[in-house]
Amino acid sequence: MKLLALVVLLTFSTSFAQKWSAEKANEWYAKQGTLVGANFIPSTSINQLEMWQADTFDPTTIDRELGWAESIGMNVMRVYLHDLVYQENKEGFLKRMDDFLKIADKHHIKILFVFFDSCWNDDPKLGKQPDPKPGVHNSGWARSPGTKVLFDSRKWGRLEEYVKGTLKHFANDPRVLAWDLFNEPSNSGYMDACLPLLKKTFEWALEVRPSQPVTAAVWNNHDLSNQIMFDNSDIITFHNYHDAQNLENEIKRLQKYGRPLICSEYMARRDNSFFQTCLPVFKKYKVGAINWGLVAGKTNTIYAWSQPMPDGSEPKIWFHDIFRKDGSVYSKEEIDAIKAHVK
């Protein structure tokens, strides 16, 4: 097993010529200002498929909720896509992406799009999506592409078309901040099995070489997949759901790469990851900050991982999210901290 791991690492850790230099990455980052925002899905969508499919795409809710984000000083959103929507009708999918970007731009918000995701429910399907399970965190979130495709490279042609087609369409779009190629690829027990598709995704993206940076967020000390992401990302993104001291320690470790840093997931109140304590750390080290969750909705991310509340009652301490569906806020003190961060 150790020999196999070494062979995989040697095979997949080679970086590609089109990767930005550290100097170019830092020049780009210096123009972005203070980046603060959230992982966004409208409260009316349970997953990426419901967000992007034609029948359930909801620009009215998107406009309203991004307006709330703008009102507290947020200027970036991380947004998940899904390969099946592109496969079904790429023209319609790209049109809806453009419509979404028009709304975001209206609110002075740039977008970090995510292509693939190894988390939560397997075997994604188009069509009507499941109703939320009361009190269950991300009960309907859908992996992309899912195990059947991840383990069958004969089906990767359509994934290549999805990545390249989307990147080519928006390659020079100033409304797009960056491209996040693969969310937590080794999650859901995939471990090293994710490496071939992860490596291929970087190849496809860097063959297109969009004007925006490409990245994938390192997480959870999964060394082989993290090394591929370090080797091939223009900017370093990472996830940290721990307390402020742990966050600061991780930032110091990542500074050795000499590249811009953006934390693309943080803020889990149960685990002592708070706006009031983490945002000062991000400001100190000039690190972009994108928390999980904007508006409490069908994803049920006010409930903690592996701690369901089957009666669906509101937990005393929300795990993620900032706003209720009516626009009221969970915590005024948190809003004050976010507004202070961007001043």
Side-chain angles (χ1 to χ4, degrees):
M1 185 61 71
K2 289 183 178 179
L3 178 59
L4 175 60
L6 177 60
V7 170
V8 171
L9 180 60
L10 290 173
T11 302
F12 294 118
S13 65
T14 303
S15 61
F16 300 103
Q18 300 92 336
K19 175 185 173 181
W20 282 2
S21 67
E23 180 182 20
K24 181 173 182 177
N26 285 306
E27 287 177 355
W28 169 86
Y29 191 64
K31 299 174 184 176
Q32 305 309 314
T34 300
L35 293 174
V36 63
N39 283 264
F40 176 75
I41 185 167
S43 61
T44 50
S45 296
I46 194 170
N47 60 24
Q48 319 92 301
L49 291 163
E50 192 162 42
M51 178 176 179
W52 291 110
Q53 289 183 127
D55 290 347
T56 46
F57 183 67
D58 187 356
T60 300
T61 298
I62 290 168
D63 186 24
R64 179 173 63 250
E65 295 180 353
L66 290 186
W68 297 339
E70 180 188 19
S71 74
I72 61 173
M74 288 186 163
N75 54 23
V76 60
M77 294 285 136
R78 183 170 180 251
V79 178
Y80 286 73
L81 307 172
H82 204 287
D83 62 281
L84 290 180
V85 189
Y86 182 96
Q87 181 185 15
E88 179 187 40
N89 181 346
K90 67 179 181 180
E91 290 82 8
F93 176 65
L94 295 173
K95 172 64 165 57
R96 288 188 290 279
M97 284 183 67
D98 184 65
D99 290 343
F100 176 82
L101 286 168
K102 288 176 182 176
I103 297 170
D105 189 54
K106 167 186 167 184
H107 295 292
H108 311 288
I109 292 171
K110 290 192 174 184
I111 304 301
L112 171 60
F113 282 121
V114 186
F115 279 108
F116 296 129
D117 185 10
S118 288
C119 295
W120 301 104
N121 295 288
D122 202 3
D123 198 20
K125 292 181 173 64
L126 293 166
K128 186 180 184 307
Q129 298 303 299
D131 294 328
K133 296 178 182 178
V136 178
H137 181 108
N138 259 336
S139 66
W141 196 263
R143 297 181 202 174
S144 175
T147 301
K148 292 178 182 177
V149 178
L150 178 70
F151 289 174
D152 188 353
S153 60
R154 296 171 298 177
K155 298 177 180 178
W156 290 1
R158 70 170 181 82
L159 301 183
E160 180 179 4
E161 182 182 352
Y162 159 60
V163 172
K164 288 184 174 180
T166 304
L167 287 176
K168 287 176 181 177
H169 193 85
F170 296 103
N172 297 299
D173 196 320
R175 302 170 298 179
V176 177
L177 178 76
W179 300 96
D180 188 339
L181 302 185
F182 212 135
N183 179 66
E184 298 186 359
S186 58
N187 209 333
S188 300
Y190 289 143
M191 303 302 287
D192 298 344
C194 72
L195 299 181
L197 182 57
L198 175 62
K199 187 247 184 185
K200 273 294 182 184
T201 306
F202 269 105
E203 283 187 15
W204 299 333
L206 292 175
E207 284 173 16
V208 175
R209 188 52 278 179
S211 63
Q212 311 94 342
V214 300
T215 186
V218 297
W219 79 290
N220 210 27
N221 297 319
H222 287 180
D223 291 340
L224 292 177
S225 59
N226 282 354
Q227 192 59 54
I228 293 173
M229 294 188 276
F230 281 132
D231 285 348
N232 297 291
S233 292
D234 297 320
I235 60 175
I236 302 299
T237 52
F238 66 101
H239 298 170
N240 187 296
Y241 284 112
H242 303 290
D243 62 37
Q245 186 59 63
N246 181 285
L247 172 64
E248 184 166 16
N249 292 342
E250 181 164 17
I251 290 171
K252 288 179 178 178
R253 289 194 299 271
L254 294 174
Q255 284 181 322
K256 69 180 181 181
Y257 293 95
R259 291 178 176 269
L261 300 178
I262 298 175
C263 182
S264 54
E265 290 187 25
Y266 79 100
M267 208 287 288
R269 298 177 183 93
R270 183 201 65 181
D271 298 337
N272 295 314
S273 178
F274 300 107
F275 291 112
Q276 297 95 316
T277 55
C278 291
L279 285 173
V281 176
F282 291 128
K283 177 164 281 190
K284 177 180 178 180
Y285 294 97
K286 298 182 180 179
V287 174
I290 305 175
N291 71 280
W292 189 275
L294 184 68
V295 182
K298 292 175 75 172
T299 59
N300 278 347
T301 52
I302 62 173
Y303 303 99
W305 308 312
S306 305
Q307 287 186 333
M309 295 182 63
D311 65 356
S313 60
E314 181 177 318
K316 183 177 180 180
I317 299 177
W318 285 16
F319 194 59
H320 297 315
D321 300 318
I322 300 170
F323 291 95
R324 294 180 174 85
K325 286 184 179 181
D326 63 1
S328 62
V329 299
Y330 171 74
S331 166
K332 182 181 182 302
E333 290 75 19
E334 291 181 347
I335 298 301
D336 291 342
I338 295 168
K339 289 181 175 179
H341 181 73
V342 294
K343 283 184 179 178

